[in-house]
Amino acid sequence: MTFALSTLAGELATIESDAVGRLSSAGSPEEVRAISAEAVGKRSPLAALNQKLGGLAAEERKVAGAQIQAARSRIMDAAAGVLESLSALERARRDATEHLDLTEVLATASRGSINLVNQTRDRLEDTFVGMGFAVAEGPEVETDWHNFGALNFPPGHPARDNFDTLYLDYGEPGTTLLRTHTSPVQVRLMQSQPPPIYAVMPGRCYRKDTPDARHIPGFSQIEGLVIDRGITFGDLAGTIDTFTHAYFGPKIGSRLRPAYFPFTEPSAEFEITCTICEGKGCRTCSGTGWIELGGCGMVHPAVFEACGIDPELWSGFAFGFGIDRLAQMRHEIADMRVLLDNDLRFITQF
Ligand code: DAH
């Protein structure tokens, strides 16, 4: 066997370009491994050339051996490169078929969340619906008669002064206003449907208050009204207590204390176990273990009469409380004004 150093470089170049060409069109890692075994393995033309080295003089053998070795490593490098790009392709294919679209998740997240007050309102509605109540709504712009007159506030009665009313420049002066509480929805309900009535009425109310930690001029209340035959004060107390447990959990109870409202007789304020200290006494409840939540009482006969319901046949109770207050208590929010601020650091917590 002859072996000429002069032709070796040309032979090696042919072998190399043949191998690299086949490698570059390989479609799988198996193919790459087969091609490189053929090109550099025991039966490869490179191995055959290596065997011929023995016929060369020592000096030439060294040069030729180095050239063969260099060609061999270039082919191996090419194989490694092809393997690398095949596995990148495979990764891309898997990403495309088994993908989790993170932009989809982001799009949902940036749609935001429901405002804390509305979340609280939704939960309250759910709780009362679970107790058998219907949900009703009334207008935010009200007549003086619905907001006060039908609720047994006589004109000029001092109780009206407790409601810093915002009157609208519409109709006779003092006849149209932004409702100061949700109680006028009781009147609308009684006028629009015969008893029995079991309903809660959530919604926004307005008072001429200067905003501070515990007051905002636009706030939300939820009103309750039950009218049926033989409803007693015991039913009122039981309903408030059942609601309190259902909404706050078994550790929070309720109690009633005498109060005055023109549209209920007797009237009461209802208090719940302080949610912060669970009744032990803390700063929030001024050490009493109780927090006032809202007002309630037996529907006054004058209200029944204003709404065309016979107080001899029907009796009932009503209650009302602030939704923002409730959210404030439940989440220990020091200052109510953050509910209006649209500060993302606050909003995104809920
Ligand atoms: N409307 C009253 C207020 O805003 C709260 C209230 C008290 C509602 C007694 C009632 C009730 O239904 O019976 O201060």
Side-chain angles (χ1 to χ4, degrees):
M1 272 197 285
T2 55
F3 188 64
L5 194 52
S6 55
T7 58
L8 181 62
E11 274 183 69
L12 284 174
T14 311
I15 292 170
E16 189 180 326
S17 75
D18 175 57
V20 170
R22 289 172 61 208
L23 280 169
S24 67
S25 56
S28 69
E30 290 73 17
E31 233 181 294
V32 173
R33 278 187 279 274
I35 294 166
S36 32
E38 265 174 49
V40 304
K42 281 196 189 118
R43 285 171 228 272
S44 65
L46 280 190
L49 285 174
N50 256 335
Q51 274 163 14
K52 291 184 197 163
L53 287 178
L56 291 177
E59 204 46 39
E60 286 186 318
R61 197 190 307 148
K62 220 170 154 188
V63 178
Q67 285 183 1
I68 293 171
Q69 190 48 42
R72 182 192 164 84
S73 26
R74 281 194 298 273
I75 292 171
M76 296 299 283
D77 286 350
V82 173
L83 274 179
E84 177 63 37
S85 53
L86 279 176
S87 77
L89 272 176
E90 170 62 14
R91 265 201 309 277
R93 189 197 61 79
R94 225 181 308 139
D95 283 352
T97 52
E98 303 164 17
H99 74 299
L100 166 65
D101 187 352
L102 292 176
T103 59
E104 221 168 74
V105 176
L106 277 177
T108 318
S110 63
R111 235 179 270 147
S113 58
I114 294 174
N115 180 279
L116 179 59
V117 176
N118 291 328
Q119 284 186 33
T120 309
R121 172 183 161 158
D122 289 347
R123 285 205 57 217
L124 286 168
E125 286 182 18
D126 287 350
T127 308
F128 282 113
V129 166
M131 290 168 66
F133 285 75
V135 179
E137 280 186 315
E140 293 176 20
V141 171
E142 262 300 6
T143 66
D144 176 78
W145 186 79
H146 287 91
N147 196 81
F148 290 125
L151 291 168
N152 199 31
F153 292 78
H157 190 281
R160 289 188 180 222
D161 300 343
N162 297 335
F163 297 79
D164 291 296
T165 311
L166 289 156
Y167 285 94
L168 296 179
D169 186 7
Y170 183 85
E172 288 289 304
T175 56
T176 313
L177 47 78
L178 291 176
R179 69 177 176 197
T180 58
H181 51 175
T182 43
S183 302
V185 193
Q186 289 185 35
V187 176
R188 293 188 173 273
L189 220 56
M190 285 190 262
Q191 288 191 310
S192 66
Q193 66 182 78
I197 296 172
Y198 291 80
V200 288
M201 298 143 265
R204 291 184 69 74
C205 308
Y206 304 88
R207 291 186 198 176
K208 215 171 13 179
D209 277 328
T210 305
D212 66 25
R214 288 174 56 78
H215 298 88
I216 41 182
F219 55 99
S220 293
Q221 285 190 341
I222 186 163
E223 192 81 12
L225 179 68
V226 167
I227 300 173
D228 209 333
R229 294 181 203 275
I231 297 290
T232 68
F233 198 87
D235 296 317
L236 165 58
T239 303
I240 300 268
D241 212 47
T242 303
F243 158 72
T244 307
H245 288 311
Y247 187 81
F248 289 100
K251 287 188 186 151
I252 308 296
S254 69
R255 69 176 186 182
L256 303 180
R257 313 182 83 195
Y260 172 76
F261 299 100
F263 42 98
T264 43
E265 181 59 34
S267 301
E269 261 164 17
F270 71 93
E271 299 187 331
I272 61 163
T273 315
C274 177
T275 52
I276 311 294
C277 63
E278 294 182 341
K280 289 179 206 71
C282 68
R283 238 182 33 183
T284 307
C285 60
S286 315
T288 62
W290 295 92
I291 288 183
E292 188 204 322
L293 194 60
C296 59
M298 301 305 290
V299 178
H300 197 290
V303 175
F304 277 137
E305 267 154 30
C307 301
I309 290 177
D310 185 350
E312 297 296 326
L313 289 179
W314 303 98
S315 62
F317 64 79
F319 58 85
F321 55 89
I323 298 179
D324 319 71
R325 262 308 150 68
L326 198 71
Q328 183 180 29
M329 252 153 46
R330 198 184 167 99
H331 298 282
E332 299 178 41
I333 296 164
D335 192 320
M336 244 181 181
R337 285 170 287 190
V338 294
L339 295 172
L340 304 177
D341 279 347
N342 282 346
D343 184 333
L344 283 176
R345 287 167 304 180
F346 175 75
I347 291 173
T348 51
Q349 290 179 48
F350 304 99

PDB file of all heavy atoms in Angstrom, residues 163 180-181 183 186 207 221 223-224 261 263-264 295-297 318-320, ligand 1:
ATOM      1  N   PHE A 163     -78.421  63.263  59.679  1.00  0.00           N
ATOM      2  CA  PHE A 163     -78.056  62.868  58.316  1.00  0.00           C
ATOM      3  C   PHE A 163     -77.649  64.130  57.566  1.00  0.00           C
ATOM      4  O   PHE A 163     -78.507  64.938  57.244  1.00  0.00           O
ATOM      5  CB  PHE A 163     -79.251  62.219  57.611  1.00  0.00           C
ATOM      6  CG  PHE A 163     -79.719  60.947  58.262  1.00  0.00           C
ATOM      7  CD1 PHE A 163     -80.512  60.974  59.413  1.00  0.00           C
ATOM      8  CD2 PHE A 163     -79.386  59.717  57.716  1.00  0.00           C
ATOM      9  CE1 PHE A 163     -80.950  59.803  59.997  1.00  0.00           C
ATOM     10  CE2 PHE A 163     -79.835  58.542  58.301  1.00  0.00           C
ATOM     11  CZ  PHE A 163     -80.614  58.579  59.454  1.00  0.00           C
ATOM     12  N   THR A 180     -79.482  59.242  52.002  1.00  0.00           N
ATOM     13  CA  THR A 180     -78.518  59.284  53.103  1.00  0.00           C
ATOM     14  C   THR A 180     -78.372  57.921  53.753  1.00  0.00           C
ATOM     15  O   THR A 180     -77.517  57.722  54.612  1.00  0.00           O
ATOM     16  CB  THR A 180     -78.970  60.293  54.162  1.00  0.00           C
ATOM     17  OG1 THR A 180     -80.283  59.907  54.618  1.00  0.00           O
ATOM     18  CG2 THR A 180     -79.032  61.692  53.589  1.00  0.00           C
ATOM     19  N   HIS A 181     -79.260  56.993  53.394  1.00  0.00           N
ATOM     20  CA  HIS A 181     -79.195  55.617  53.903  1.00  0.00           C
ATOM     21  C   HIS A 181     -79.958  54.713  52.928  1.00  0.00           C
ATOM     22  O   HIS A 181     -80.588  55.216  51.985  1.00  0.00           O
ATOM     23  CB  HIS A 181     -79.750  55.512  55.336  1.00  0.00           C
ATOM     24  CG  HIS A 181     -81.117  56.116  55.552  1.00  0.00           C
ATOM     25  ND1 HIS A 181     -81.804  56.029  56.744  1.00  0.00           N
ATOM     26  CD2 HIS A 181     -81.943  56.818  54.724  1.00  0.00           C
ATOM     27  CE1 HIS A 181     -82.969  56.639  56.649  1.00  0.00           C
ATOM     28  NE2 HIS A 181     -83.075  57.127  55.449  1.00  0.00           N
ATOM     29  N   SER A 183     -82.430  52.826  53.851  1.00  0.00           N
ATOM     30  CA  SER A 183     -83.783  52.591  54.378  1.00  0.00           C
ATOM     31  C   SER A 183     -84.919  52.958  53.406  1.00  0.00           C
ATOM     32  O   SER A 183     -85.955  52.295  53.428  1.00  0.00           O
ATOM     33  CB  SER A 183     -83.954  53.309  55.715  1.00  0.00           C
ATOM     34  OG  SER A 183     -82.978  52.864  56.629  1.00  0.00           O
ATOM     35  N   GLN A 186     -86.629  50.133  51.669  1.00  0.00           N
ATOM     36  CA  GLN A 186     -87.703  49.433  52.397  1.00  0.00           C
ATOM     37  C   GLN A 186     -89.055  49.937  51.917  1.00  0.00           C
ATOM     38  O   GLN A 186     -89.973  49.163  51.640  1.00  0.00           O
ATOM     39  CB  GLN A 186     -87.649  49.756  53.900  1.00  0.00           C
ATOM     40  CG  GLN A 186     -86.525  49.165  54.691  1.00  0.00           C
ATOM     41  CD  GLN A 186     -86.726  49.498  56.182  1.00  0.00           C
ATOM     42  OE1 GLN A 186     -87.846  49.548  56.670  1.00  0.00           O
ATOM     43  NE2 GLN A 186     -85.636  49.722  56.889  1.00  0.00           N
ATOM     44  N   ARG A 207     -73.503  61.394  52.304  1.00  0.00           N
ATOM     45  CA  ARG A 207     -73.728  62.400  53.346  1.00  0.00           C
ATOM     46  C   ARG A 207     -72.657  63.468  53.234  1.00  0.00           C
ATOM     47  O   ARG A 207     -71.534  63.191  52.782  1.00  0.00           O
ATOM     48  CB  ARG A 207     -73.689  61.781  54.747  1.00  0.00           C
ATOM     49  CG  ARG A 207     -74.868  60.871  55.006  1.00  0.00           C
ATOM     50  CD  ARG A 207     -74.934  60.350  56.424  1.00  0.00           C
ATOM     51  NE  ARG A 207     -75.815  59.180  56.469  1.00  0.00           N
ATOM     52  CZ  ARG A 207     -76.039  58.443  57.549  1.00  0.00           C
ATOM     53  NH1 ARG A 207     -75.464  58.756  58.687  1.00  0.00           N
ATOM     54  NH2 ARG A 207     -76.852  57.401  57.490  1.00  0.00           N
ATOM     55  N   GLN A 221     -74.207  50.917  52.284  1.00  0.00           N
ATOM     56  CA  GLN A 221     -74.922  50.264  53.384  1.00  0.00           C
ATOM     57  C   GLN A 221     -75.630  49.035  52.847  1.00  0.00           C
ATOM     58  O   GLN A 221     -75.810  48.875  51.634  1.00  0.00           O
ATOM     59  CB  GLN A 221     -76.008  51.196  53.959  1.00  0.00           C
ATOM     60  CG  GLN A 221     -75.501  52.321  54.836  1.00  0.00           C
ATOM     61  CD  GLN A 221     -76.651  53.029  55.546  1.00  0.00           C
ATOM     62  OE1 GLN A 221     -77.820  52.929  55.153  1.00  0.00           O
ATOM     63  NE2 GLN A 221     -76.313  53.771  56.598  1.00  0.00           N
ATOM     64  N   GLU A 223     -79.318  47.116  53.838  1.00  0.00           N
ATOM     65  CA  GLU A 223     -80.551  47.211  54.603  1.00  0.00           C
ATOM     66  C   GLU A 223     -81.197  45.836  54.615  1.00  0.00           C
ATOM     67  O   GLU A 223     -81.061  45.086  53.647  1.00  0.00           O
ATOM     68  CB  GLU A 223     -81.468  48.199  53.856  1.00  0.00           C
ATOM     69  CG  GLU A 223     -82.663  48.651  54.611  1.00  0.00           C
ATOM     70  CD  GLU A 223     -82.293  49.770  55.578  1.00  0.00           C
ATOM     71  OE1 GLU A 223     -81.184  50.324  55.494  1.00  0.00           O
ATOM     72  OE2 GLU A 223     -83.147  50.067  56.440  1.00  0.00           O
ATOM     73  N   GLY A 224     -81.899  45.511  55.702  1.00  0.00           N
ATOM     74  CA  GLY A 224     -82.655  44.260  55.724  1.00  0.00           C
ATOM     75  C   GLY A 224     -84.094  44.543  56.109  1.00  0.00           C
ATOM     76  O   GLY A 224     -84.359  45.457  56.897  1.00  0.00           O
ATOM     77  N   PHE A 261     -84.569  55.257  66.484  1.00  0.00           N
ATOM     78  CA  PHE A 261     -84.715  55.585  65.066  1.00  0.00           C
ATOM     79  C   PHE A 261     -86.196  55.874  64.847  1.00  0.00           C
ATOM     80  O   PHE A 261     -87.037  55.171  65.425  1.00  0.00           O
ATOM     81  CB  PHE A 261     -84.265  54.426  64.154  1.00  0.00           C
ATOM     82  CG  PHE A 261     -82.821  54.053  64.322  1.00  0.00           C
ATOM     83  CD1 PHE A 261     -82.458  52.951  65.084  1.00  0.00           C
ATOM     84  CD2 PHE A 261     -81.813  54.807  63.719  1.00  0.00           C
ATOM     85  CE1 PHE A 261     -81.122  52.610  65.258  1.00  0.00           C
ATOM     86  CE2 PHE A 261     -80.477  54.468  63.884  1.00  0.00           C
ATOM     87  CZ  PHE A 261     -80.126  53.373  64.662  1.00  0.00           C
ATOM     88  N   PHE A 263     -88.122  55.272  62.444  1.00  0.00           N
ATOM     89  CA  PHE A 263     -88.878  54.292  61.636  1.00  0.00           C
ATOM     90  C   PHE A 263     -88.975  52.920  62.270  1.00  0.00           C
ATOM     91  O   PHE A 263     -89.517  51.989  61.669  1.00  0.00           O
ATOM     92  CB  PHE A 263     -88.287  54.195  60.223  1.00  0.00           C
ATOM     93  CG  PHE A 263     -86.777  54.176  60.185  1.00  0.00           C
ATOM     94  CD1 PHE A 263     -86.089  52.984  60.080  1.00  0.00           C
ATOM     95  CD2 PHE A 263     -86.054  55.358  60.243  1.00  0.00           C
ATOM     96  CE1 PHE A 263     -84.701  52.962  60.046  1.00  0.00           C
ATOM     97  CE2 PHE A 263     -84.666  55.356  60.206  1.00  0.00           C
ATOM     98  CZ  PHE A 263     -83.993  54.154  60.116  1.00  0.00           C
ATOM     99  N   THR A 264     -88.440  52.764  63.487  1.00  0.00           N
ATOM    100  CA  THR A 264     -88.586  51.483  64.199  1.00  0.00           C
ATOM    101  C   THR A 264     -88.976  51.757  65.637  1.00  0.00           C
ATOM    102  O   THR A 264     -88.605  52.780  66.223  1.00  0.00           O
ATOM    103  CB  THR A 264     -87.264  50.682  64.172  1.00  0.00           C
ATOM    104  OG1 THR A 264     -86.182  51.571  64.434  1.00  0.00           O
ATOM    105  CG2 THR A 264     -87.053  49.975  62.857  1.00  0.00           C
ATOM    106  N   GLY A 295     -77.972  49.690  62.979  1.00  0.00           N
ATOM    107  CA  GLY A 295     -79.223  49.905  63.693  1.00  0.00           C
ATOM    108  C   GLY A 295     -80.260  48.882  63.272  1.00  0.00           C
ATOM    109  O   GLY A 295     -80.140  48.256  62.211  1.00  0.00           O
ATOM    110  N   CYS A 296     -81.280  48.722  64.118  1.00  0.00           N
ATOM    111  CA  CYS A 296     -82.350  47.775  63.789  1.00  0.00           C
ATOM    112  C   CYS A 296     -83.566  48.049  64.666  1.00  0.00           C
ATOM    113  O   CYS A 296     -83.516  48.899  65.563  1.00  0.00           O
ATOM    114  CB  CYS A 296     -81.877  46.339  63.993  1.00  0.00           C
ATOM    115  SG  CYS A 296     -81.347  45.968  65.672  1.00  0.00           S
ATOM    116  N   GLY A 297     -84.616  47.349  64.405  1.00  0.00           N
ATOM    117  CA  GLY A 297     -85.802  47.518  65.239  1.00  0.00           C
ATOM    118  C   GLY A 297     -87.028  46.942  64.565  1.00  0.00           C
ATOM    119  O   GLY A 297     -86.947  46.416  63.443  1.00  0.00           O
ATOM    120  N   ALA A 318     -86.501  45.540  60.742  1.00  0.00           N
ATOM    121  CA  ALA A 318     -85.563  46.059  59.748  1.00  0.00           C
ATOM    122  C   ALA A 318     -84.205  46.224  60.403  1.00  0.00           C
ATOM    123  O   ALA A 318     -84.098  46.303  61.632  1.00  0.00           O
ATOM    124  CB  ALA A 318     -86.054  47.400  59.212  1.00  0.00           C
ATOM    125  N   PHE A 319     -83.191  46.232  59.581  1.00  0.00           N
ATOM    126  CA  PHE A 319     -81.847  46.518  60.095  1.00  0.00           C
ATOM    127  C   PHE A 319     -81.028  47.153  58.988  1.00  0.00           C
ATOM    128  O   PHE A 319     -81.384  47.050  57.795  1.00  0.00           O
ATOM    129  CB  PHE A 319     -81.154  45.245  60.617  1.00  0.00           C
ATOM    130  CG  PHE A 319     -81.023  44.139  59.601  1.00  0.00           C
ATOM    131  CD1 PHE A 319     -79.949  44.102  58.717  1.00  0.00           C
ATOM    132  CD2 PHE A 319     -81.999  43.141  59.516  1.00  0.00           C
ATOM    133  CE1 PHE A 319     -79.837  43.080  57.780  1.00  0.00           C
ATOM    134  CE2 PHE A 319     -81.886  42.114  58.574  1.00  0.00           C
ATOM    135  CZ  PHE A 319     -80.804  42.079  57.703  1.00  0.00           C
ATOM    136  N   GLY A 320     -79.971  47.845  59.372  1.00  0.00           N
ATOM    137  CA  GLY A 320     -79.106  48.450  58.359  1.00  0.00           C
ATOM    138  C   GLY A 320     -77.723  48.686  58.928  1.00  0.00           C
ATOM    139  O   GLY A 320     -77.585  48.998  60.114  1.00  0.00           O
TER     140      GLY A 320
HETATM  141  N1  DAH B   1     -80.761  53.889  58.290  1.00  0.00           N
HETATM  142  C1  DAH B   1     -80.065  53.941  59.562  1.00  0.00           C
HETATM  143  C2  DAH B   1     -78.819  54.789  59.423  1.00  0.00           C
HETATM  144  O1  DAH B   1     -78.326  54.970  58.343  1.00  0.00           O
HETATM  145  C3  DAH B   1     -79.675  52.556  60.013  1.00  0.00           C
HETATM  146  C4  DAH B   1     -80.880  51.738  60.382  1.00  0.00           C
HETATM  147  C5  DAH B   1     -81.335  51.770  61.671  1.00  0.00           C
HETATM  148  C6  DAH B   1     -81.508  50.966  59.454  1.00  0.00           C
HETATM  149  C7  DAH B   1     -82.445  51.032  62.048  1.00  0.00           C
HETATM  150  C8  DAH B   1     -82.619  50.215  59.806  1.00  0.00           C
HETATM  151  C9  DAH B   1     -83.069  50.253  61.111  1.00  0.00           C
HETATM  152  O2  DAH B   1     -83.289  49.444  58.962  1.00  0.00           O
HETATM  153  O3  DAH B   1     -84.159  49.508  61.470  1.00  0.00           O
HETATM  154  O4  DAH B   1     -78.303  55.250  60.404  1.00  0.00           O
END
